[in-house]
Every structure is written in C-alpha cells, then in structure tokens.
Amino acid sequence: MKTIAIVSRKGGVGKSTLTMNLAVAAKDSVILDTDPQASCADWGDRRNAQAPEIVTVPAGRVKTALKQQKAKWCLIDTQPSAEASLIEIAQSSELCIVVLRPGQLELDALGATLAAMRAASAEAVFCINQAHPQANLSELILGLEAHYPVGPVIRSRADYPAAVSEGLAVNEWNSAGKAAIEVNDYWTWIQEKVIND
Ligand SMILES: Nc1ncnc2c1ncn2[C@@H]1O[C@H](COP(=O)(O)OP(=O)(O)OP(=O)(O)O)[C@@H](O)[C@H]1O
Ligand SMILES: [Mg+2]
C-alpha cells in the first residue's frame, strides 16, 4: 500500500475536496479521515457507492490504523493547524501533498506547513488548488519549485461543490468536464511520482 497525506496548516484550501477526488481517481483506495470536522466521512455518507472505504481515525492513531488497511492506495485527510499530529502523519506517509490556494494570506501561512514537512523529513509535492481559471501562475510555480515539485494546476470549478453535495467526485459528476480532466491529470502525475521514487 502507498500512503499519501493531504496537508496544509491553512484551513479551507481544499484538502478534503482533493482527498475525495483523488481517492475516486485512484480506484483501489481507502481514505483515513483524521479531521474531527469529518468532511470526507460526511461525503461518504451521501454516497451510494461502496468505494472508497472511509475510516475515521483520530490523528494520533494513524500508525495503528494504517496496519489494518489493504487497499493499493491510502489517502489521509488532515486537519489544519495541528502540528504535532501532522508531523507524525507525514512520517507515516510515502508522500505529502501540500495544498495551496493562490493568494497572499495562503502564501503567508505556507511557512508553517513547510516547517512541519521539514521537521518530518517528508517527501512532499504541491497541489495548487482553486486557482482562477484564467490566472497565470508561472511566477508562483517558480517560487514553489524552490521547495518541492508542483503538479498540474487544479482551478476553481463549479463542479466541485456540485459533486460534493451529491456524494460524488467530479469525474463521477461530469466526467468530460475541466474539473475531472484536471483531477485526473494531477492523479496521473502523483502516481508516476510515487511509483518512480
Ligand atoms: N478546485 C475547486 N474549485 C471550486 N471549489 C473548490 C475547489 N476546491 C475546494 N473547493 C471548495 O472550497 C471549500 C473548502 O474546501 P475543503 O473543505 O475541501 O477545504 P479544506 O482544506 O479541507 O478545509 P479545512 O481546513 O476546513 O479542513 C469547499 O466549499 C469546497 O467545495
Ligand atoms: Mg477538510
């Protein structure tokens, strides 16, 4: 099993949304929902599908919970701001996806997440999420690449809130939509990263 944690100490950047959508793209996957807010678990309750399995687990119990999983991929949704548990989760994962929304306040807060990644000696990559559909991000990407690789950009699309309220991923809601294409591209990039490293 390959374990990937979706992290950011800034709230509301799209960690839970990305976790759900990548878990569906991954197919053979389980979600460990470590956030007491339980966004992924709530979404799972709205799904008719069996997969992905969603296990709610306190952040401090991730190591134990991981031993019981049998899926090919395990995606861990994390809560913002909890540093100690974030370091422990990062150390239990092959890769951390640092989710970032383009914006000054998000950039100001990025240092705290990067410090946790360094403290954990984590392998990490960025996911730029909720970018304006037309925004030119080349300067931001260049700055981020000084720290970790940056995957294909995910832009702000109405399909995300629409799908989530139906308990669906964007590629189940509208498989030909731009949101689905961007998520699939991002997942392909992650898969190659994890398998080739
Ligand atoms: N690419 C996107 N396009 C449009 N809306 C998005 C996108 N990604 C996330 N959202 C929306 O942004 C909001 C916050 O997303 P989400 O709850 O996944 O963030 P989070 O990082 O998990 O938040 P928290 O830190 O509170 O756990 C939600 O309303 C979600 O539908
Ligand atoms: Mg969340």
Side-chain angles (χ1 to χ4, degrees), residues 31 50 59 76 79 81 130 147 156 158 162 172 174 187-188 192:
I31 293 176
Q50 295 289 315
I76 307 179
Q79 56 188 320
S81 75
Q130 299 191 58
H147 302 283
S156 183
E172 296 168 318
N174 176 10
W187 177 246
T188 301
E192 284 167 3

Side-chain angles (χ1 to χ4, degrees), residues 99-167:
V99 187
L100 175 79
R101 240 172 88 148
Q104 191 56 51
L105 298 181
E106 283 75 7
L107 281 174
D108 291 346
L110 187 60
T113 307
L114 296 183
M117 294 298 97
R118 281 193 293 271
S121 303
E123 194 80 42
V125 296
F126 286 109
C127 177
I128 300 177
N129 183 40
Q130 299 191 58
H132 185 280
Q134 273 88 47
N136 178 343
L137 301 162
S138 43
E139 220 171 281
L140 172 64
I141 292 171
L142 210 60
L144 293 175
E145 279 175 342
H147 302 283
Y148 297 116
V150 182
V153 173
I154 296 185
R155 297 186 183 260
S156 183
R157 309 280 180 202
D159 279 3
Y160 290 95
V164 84
S165 63
E166 298 296 323

Side-chain angles (χ1 to χ4, degrees), residues 49-120:
Q50 295 289 315
E53 186 188 354
I54 301 170
V55 181
T56 53
V57 50
R61 300 276 303 162
V62 161
K63 258 192 205 149
T64 312
L66 280 172
K67 289 186 194 134
Q68 294 157 4
Q69 306 311 318
K70 295 187 173 62
K72 183 171 177 197
W73 298 95
C74 177
L75 297 165
I76 307 179
D77 190 17
T78 61
Q79 56 188 320
S81 75
E83 189 184 22
S85 63
L86 179 55
I87 293 172
E88 199 180 314
I89 289 170
Q91 286 172 336
S92 305
S93 303
E94 257 93 24
L95 184 73
C96 290
I97 300 178
V98 177
V99 187
L100 175 79
R101 240 172 88 148
Q104 191 56 51
L105 298 181
E106 283 75 7
L107 281 174
D108 291 346
L110 187 60
T113 307
L114 296 183
M117 294 298 97
R118 281 193 293 271

